[in-house]
Amino acid sequence: MTQLTTQLQCDIPTETAARLQKKAEEMNLSVSKYITQLLQKDLRTDEELAKDNGWPEGFFDLYGSTQDAPLERPHQGEHQAREPLL
């Protein structure tokens, strides 16, 4: 499947361009392909990130969806005095 592409032009510092070129060469990629991969990774949607990290589809949509009373942590009591480790 052929993907449509758009040419973009941007100005970046010379040192950054050199580092970009070196990194692309190390990965056996053109600078264009390397930048595309970086952007695709950085611009993933929340749904894509969740799927990539093993969360089921729609999992985060559940947050705040219950009508129950908020969870409250009960009083934990006083801290027990312990001997120092060292």
Side-chain angles (χ1 to χ4, degrees):
M1 180 168 108
T2 303
Q3 215 175 6
L4 296 176
T5 61
T6 301
Q7 286 190 342
L8 298 175
Q9 181 177 339
C10 63
D11 297 319
I12 60 173
T14 302
E15 181 181 326
T16 302
R19 292 172 56 200
L20 180 65
Q21 179 70 41
K22 182 180 179 190
K23 186 69 172 181
E25 287 174 3
E26 288 173 1
M27 299 180 71
N28 290 327
L29 296 172
S30 67
V31 171
S32 178
K33 187 70 147 180
Y34 178 61
I35 290 172
T36 298
Q37 287 183 0
L38 290 174
L39 290 173
Q40 286 174 335
K41 182 177 180 181
D42 189 60
L43 299 175
R44 290 180 294 175
T45 64
D46 290 343
E47 291 81 17
E48 291 168 328
L49 288 170
K51 183 179 179 185
D52 291 348
N53 288 300
W55 296 99
E57 186 175 332
F59 178 80
F60 292 102
D61 295 335
L62 297 175
Y63 180 77
S65 64
T66 64
Q67 299 301 316
D68 298 338
L71 297 175
E72 293 183 24
R73 182 176 178 183
H75 180 67
Q76 301 297 301
E78 298 301 318
H79 291 290
Q80 181 183 36
R82 298 182 182 185
E83 293 181 27
L85 292 175
L86 298 176

